[in-house]
Amino acid sequence: MTTEIRALGVDEADLLDRVAADVFDDPIVPARAREFLADAHHHLVVAVEDGLVVGMVSAVDYLHPDKAEPELWINEVGVASSHRGQGLGQVLLRATLALGQQLGCRVAWVATERSNTPAMRLYAAVGGVEEPQDTVLFTFRLD
């Protein structure tokens, strides 16, 4: 089987109608998928096999008033359990980093929990450098 890796375009939200059960954390909300893809700063790189999305990386090219170039914030990486351990996460992540480079980003960043061993291995394997800071994540409930 051939797996196609590509960034989804603005009119391709319907491709997310067929997604392996464990690629995303939650079920796809079609209106949000369309809204996400309509925003030029939001990116979804997917792996498609026989019309089924079996992997994805979502990212945002992040702009800030004091930064000359955008930065690529990698939000999530998901690979179907049936496709894990085969290097698909690395291929998806490399494609996403290449997209960031094409967009003029000079740095990309992602956060994960130290206990998330698969993510730690993935990011290191693709050349990510673990920062020495002791970062703490705060969550604010807005509901």
Side-chain angles (χ1 to χ4, degrees):
M1 285 185 238
T2 302
T3 303
E4 178 187 13
I5 307 296
R6 65 191 191 124
L8 291 186
V10 66
D11 295 324
E12 296 186 293
D14 59 331
L15 189 60
L16 299 175
D17 291 344
R18 292 199 62 229
V19 178
D22 50 355
V23 171
F24 288 87
D25 294 335
D26 298 300
I28 299 296
V29 178
R32 286 290 180 241
R34 288 189 302 275
E35 184 178 2
F36 181 93
L37 293 173
D39 186 323
H41 296 289
H42 290 165
H43 310 283
L44 192 62
V45 176
V46 295
V48 182
E49 190 174 275
D50 293 329
L52 180 70
V53 175
V54 295
M56 69 85 189
V57 175
S58 66
V60 175
D61 62 280
Y62 173 77
L63 306 174
H64 198 273
D66 71 344
K67 308 235 179 330
E69 293 89 18
E71 296 180 352
L72 190 68
W73 168 49
I74 299 164
N75 182 38
E76 290 186 38
V77 178
V79 174
S81 55
S82 59
H83 289 70
R84 291 182 190 149
Q86 301 172 29
L88 185 56
Q90 290 184 35
V91 172
L92 283 163
L93 190 52
R94 288 183 201 284
T96 304
L97 295 173
L99 175 61
Q101 200 171 32
Q102 292 170 8
L103 294 168
C105 298
R106 62 169 223 223
V107 67
W109 47 275
V110 63
T112 192
E113 296 80 26
R114 188 170 300 286
S115 62
N116 187 342
T117 305
M120 294 288 287
R121 267 193 244 127
L122 169 63
Y123 303 142
V126 178
V129 177
E130 186 178 340
E131 293 290 323
Q133 304 91 309
D134 185 19
T135 303
V136 177
L137 177 69
F138 287 88
T139 301
F140 299 91
R141 297 292 307 176
L142 302 178
D143 53 356

